[in-house]
Each structure stands twice: as structure tokens, then as C-alpha cells.
Amino acid sequence: MDLRINQLIKQVKKGNHEAFGLIIDQYQHAIYQHCYRMLGNHHDAQEVTQEAFVKVYTNIKTFKQNNKFSPWLYRIATNLAIDHMRKKRPVSILDQPIHSNDHTTLLDKQKSKEQTPEESYERLELSETVQEALLTLPPKYRAVIVLKYVRDLPLQEIAEVLELPMGTVKTHLHRGREALRKKLVEAVRS
Amino acid sequence: MACNQSSENELHRYLNRELNQEEENQLKRHLMECQNCQEHYRELKRLDGQLNFLPEIDAPDDLKHNIMHQLPQDPKVKKFSKIVREHPFIAAAVVFFIAMFSSTLTQYHTNQQIFVSSEEGVIKEGNRVIIPEGEVIEGDFTVKNAELVLEGKIQGNLTLVNSQVVSMHEHQDNFLNSVSHHVGGTVTEIDQYFVWVYHKIEHEFKNIVTFVSP
């Protein structure tokens, strides 16, 4: 897989647009997930995902072939997402759908295996609550949480993506989790 | 274990799977005893599950299409450097030809002064080159940027670069005939740059051929 990506990158460096299309095929879903969880809505996620791939293309010459491609790609996407938040922060929050906070203890629902339509609806609502809580986190914490849980990256790789020391990544992860935990406890109580 | 920051750290390390068996057992023993930490643990564990099971979001169908349309076209400068990188030999050849071309060009332009291939028996007067009557030039003769007054004879070929043959006797009817009368070989007139270059290359080529196969 890495070999194949490396070959495609070589092609892209020679100006082959089609090879870049294949790289997009490979990563667009993952990057879109990442951006969606970072930004919380389709409009911004689409904008930043597109921007990230275009940036990858225009900077492909600066990418050194013996590095891994995906941390580089995630770094570009993450930084653009954080810039985007800073620019459009108030709008992003206003964009969020409004929720009725009438759920009972949602965690109980999650334990049951088979889902009735109501349950899957509540499950969806719960995930929206989690998403909302995510959006209240400072960008750095949010990036770590999203890379860890949504992208399922090992901590070592998260450190690579964010160019942070391992200790800092762990601190961000712990603080991010604690902040989310408090938000969700509040949400359940209200 | 005291219920403080350190036990919270242990909980997070547990979620990161960083605890060894001994530390894990210790944490579990503590959780059995401490209601607060147990609650904390449950909330974190729940959060962990919720984050892990966030549903996949479908990317829009036109995502790739949009990206491909936003890609910049390669600017010309980039293309040039790309060519150099991909075809170093062709690039070197091109550079060589450009150098040769410009050197012949400068040669052509700087040599605007009169030039004759052999000075012997030739008179220069202003922009005129005179081969006086009775003079015989053995071999080829080349004149550049001058008017040639041809009264003597040339046994070989005559090459006129930016030059022309004029006559002292003003009313000569069959002028060209008279020129050929004075020249033993052929007369070549060159007054355009590219013809001159062609001539030069032809000349060099002939030289090489005679050198290789005498």
C-alpha cells in the first residue's frame, strides 16, 4: 500500500493528474471523516477536504519520498481545519442543528444489542451530542481526540501528524477526554 | 491509592492501554473501594465507547470531481524545470545548440567590419576590396561586409558574405557573365543569417568528412 502510494506520488510529481485522482480515491473518505468531526458540518468539511487535497497537490514537490504520506496528509488537513475554525468560528457554531435535550440516560440504550428504530434514532442523537461536545473543545485537543478515535491512529502516529512530543499528545488526550466527559455528564443531567 | 490527580492519570493510562498487569490490578482494587473514582471510570469508559462508535459520515459524491477541477495547471516555468529533470540529455543538447546559435549570432553581428580571407595582392579602400588587374588569387576567396571590385582573377570559389561585386567600368552589360569570367570556381552569395549559418555548417561538415576520409 505504501509502495503503491509512493509510485503514485512519483507520477504526480511528473504532472500526472490521473495518478492524483487515484490518491484522492484512496484517502478522500478518511480525510472527509476527519474534517467532519473536526468541524461538525458537511459544508465546512467539504471545503476543507477539497482545500487540503489541492494543497497536497501544489506542495507535492516538497514531500520527501522516504517519509510516510498519510501523516503528512493528515497534518495538512488538520492545520487547514484549525485555520478554518479560527476564521469562521461563530458561523460554525450557529450552523449546528438545534437539539431537543429530552434524552434520558442514553448510555443504557447503547448497551442493548438489537436496535429498534427509536433506539437507532437515539443513538444518532447521542452521536450528535458527542459531536457538539467535540466542537466545544480547543482545536488542539479536538485534533488529538479525532485522530485517536475517529481515525483510530496510534498515539505515536498522532504525535507525528501534529508534530508534537508524545507527552503533549497524551496531555491533550487526557484533558480532551476530561472536558468531553464533563460536557456529556452535563448534557445527560439537563 | 489516594483519589487525586494521580488516580485520574491512571484511568487515562488505562484507557490508552499503557498500564502493566500490576498497575492495572492496583487500579481495579482502588476502584472497588472508591465510589468517586468508580463513577469517574464509568463516565470515561462510556465516553470512550461513544467516541469509538461515532457513525461513519459519507463523503459527498462530487468531492473528487471538485478537487480535480481546483487543481492548478502547471505553469510554464515548472514545465521547463520538469523537462530538464526528466530528460537531462535532451536538455543538455538544447543548451549546447542555444550556445552555438548565440555564438554564431554574435560572430555574425560583431564581424560587421570588412573581412577578406587572403590579404595578398588585395587592396582595401574604405568599404571596397579591390583585386587589381593582373592579380591572380590561388584557391578560394571569401569577402565579408564589403564591395568587391574584381579586376584580377580568382582560381577557386568566391564566397560573398553580405557583400556584392561592383564594377569599376560603370556600363557593363553582362555583369554576371563578367564575374564568372574572373572566377575559376563557383560564386556563392550569402546575405542572410540563416543561409550563412547553413553555409558554415555545410563547410564544417565537409571539413569533418575530408578529415575522416582523406
Side-chain angles (χ1 to χ4, degrees):
Chain A
M1 152 100 179
D2 272 352
L3 240 163
R4 195 179 108 82
I5 290 296
N6 262 344
Q7 301 219 308
L8 288 175
I9 291 167
K10 267 185 203 160
Q11 292 296 312
V12 175
K13 283 182 177 176
K14 288 178 185 171
N16 184 340
H17 272 218
E18 269 170 55
F20 195 68
L22 296 176
I23 292 179
I24 296 173
D25 287 338
Q26 190 79 47
Y27 288 104
Q28 62 171 339
H29 184 71
I31 294 297
Y32 191 79
Q33 296 293 310
H34 179 66
C35 292
Y36 183 87
R37 292 305 174 195
M38 287 289 284
L39 298 161
N41 68 78
H42 284 287
H43 179 265
D44 289 347
Q46 181 160 9
E47 206 175 307
V48 171
T49 306
Q50 287 173 12
E51 210 181 319
F53 276 105
V54 171
K55 192 165 182 188
V56 164
Y57 182 83
T58 51
N59 290 310
I60 196 86
K61 296 244 160 76
T62 67
F63 173 71
K64 292 188 186 64
Q65 209 81 26
N66 44 1
N67 290 351
K68 277 172 76 185
F69 179 68
S70 76
W72 188 61
L73 173 61
Y74 277 112
R75 177 155 60 245
I76 287 175
T78 307
N79 289 340
L80 286 176
I82 292 173
D83 286 350
H84 198 82
M85 283 171 215
R86 289 193 179 128
K87 273 184 238 151
K88 295 187 58 173
R89 180 157 221 160
V91 183
S92 292
I93 287 169
L94 289 176
D95 273 352
Q96 294 313 303
I98 299 152
H99 291 280
S100 54
N101 285 331
D102 61 346
H103 24 55
T104 49
T105 50
L106 293 159
L107 47 127
D108 300 332
K109 305 289 182 191
Q110 217 188 343
K111 282 175 188 157
S112 64
K113 296 283 183 224
E114 66 270 22
Q115 288 186 355
T116 65
E118 293 84 45
E119 277 171 343
S120 65
Y121 173 73
E122 277 173 56
R123 173 88 183 270
L124 186 71
E125 215 175 323
L126 170 68
S127 74
E128 280 173 11
T129 312
V130 173
Q131 175 70 62
E132 267 180 78
L134 258 178
L135 293 177
T136 64
L137 289 185
K140 284 274 174 195
Y141 297 178
R142 206 187 308 176
V144 174
I145 296 272
V146 170
L147 289 168
K148 164 85 172 77
Y149 287 101
V150 179
R151 292 285 88 233
D152 216 10
L153 293 187
L155 295 185
Q156 184 53 51
E157 233 170 279
I158 296 174
E160 240 177 277
V161 168
L162 300 176
E163 290 180 312
L164 292 173
M166 192 63 157
T168 311
V169 170
K170 281 180 188 169
T171 312
H172 286 184
L173 181 61
H174 296 186
R175 291 190 185 151
R177 271 197 204 119
E178 283 301 320
L180 283 178
R181 180 185 67 85
K182 282 169 194 153
K183 288 274 173 202
L184 291 179
V185 169
E186 271 171 39
V188 169
R189 278 187 193 141
S190 64
Chain B
M1 193 193 288
C3 292
N4 52 23
Q5 193 62 37
S6 83
S7 68
E8 185 182 300
N9 272 343
E10 292 298 289
L11 285 176
H12 285 281
R13 289 184 61 210
Y14 172 71
L15 291 176
N16 296 349
R17 297 174 206 284
E18 288 175 331
L19 294 186
N20 61 33
Q21 196 58 49
E22 175 55 32
E23 289 168 320
E24 196 178 316
N25 289 341
Q26 210 179 346
L27 177 67
K28 278 179 180 162
R29 275 199 300 277
H30 175 70
L31 291 180
M32 298 285 271
E33 293 162 4
C34 177
Q35 201 64 37
N36 280 345
C37 285
Q38 210 179 94
E39 183 58 23
H40 194 152
Y41 167 75
R42 240 185 256 127
E43 285 167 4
L44 276 179
K45 194 73 188 158
R46 201 183 300 144
L47 172 69
D48 208 51
Q50 285 166 347
L51 287 169
N52 270 324
F53 288 102
L54 281 174
E56 291 273 295
I57 305 288
D58 286 330
D61 294 336
D62 58 354
L63 189 59
K64 181 183 175 187
H65 178 84
N66 289 345
I67 296 165
M68 293 304 276
H69 272 259
Q70 284 178 33
L71 295 186
Q73 296 299 315
D74 279 357
K76 289 255 186 311
V77 181
K78 259 191 186 170
K79 271 186 183 160
F80 177 72
S81 68
K82 220 163 58 193
I83 289 167
V84 172
R85 217 170 305 125
E86 282 166 30
H87 310 285
F89 290 106
I90 295 173
V94 168
V95 169
F96 174 75
F97 275 108
I98 290 170
M100 222 181 88
F101 177 79
S102 54
S103 85
T104 57
L105 192 69
T106 45
Q107 227 181 329
Y108 181 74
H109 279 296
T110 53
N111 283 10
Q112 289 297 336
Q113 70 265 47
I114 293 174
F115 166 83
V116 288
S117 61
S118 127
E119 303 273 347
E120 236 174 280
V122 174
I123 301 161
K124 286 195 214 169
E125 265 181 22
N127 67 338
R128 286 197 163 179
V129 174
I130 303 165
I131 299 174
E133 197 146 9
E135 188 67 46
V136 176
I137 291 173
E138 296 168 12
D140 298 346
F141 190 73
T142 304
V143 186
K144 284 183 193 168
N145 310 313
E147 290 181 333
L148 177 65
V149 179
L150 190 53
E151 286 168 342
K153 288 205 173 185
I154 298 166
Q155 284 185 335
N157 300 328
L158 169 63
T159 307
L160 301 160
V161 181
N162 269 345
S163 306
Q164 55 182 346
V165 178
V166 293
S167 175
M168 285 297 232
H169 318 288
E170 300 211 342
H171 307 290
Q172 203 147 8
D173 290 335
N174 48 358
F175 182 66
L176 269 174
N177 271 353
S178 84
V179 169
S180 60
H181 185 69
H182 287 278
V183 180
T186 54
V187 179
T188 319
E189 275 192 69
I190 301 162
D191 45 23
Q192 278 174 345
Y193 174 68
F194 286 105
V195 180
W196 185 69
V197 169
Y198 173 75
H199 173 75
K200 219 181 145 129
I201 289 169
E202 192 185 52
H203 183 71
E204 292 298 321
F205 186 71
K206 274 182 190 159
N207 270 359
I208 290 166
V209 170
T210 40
F211 183 75
V212 172
S213 56

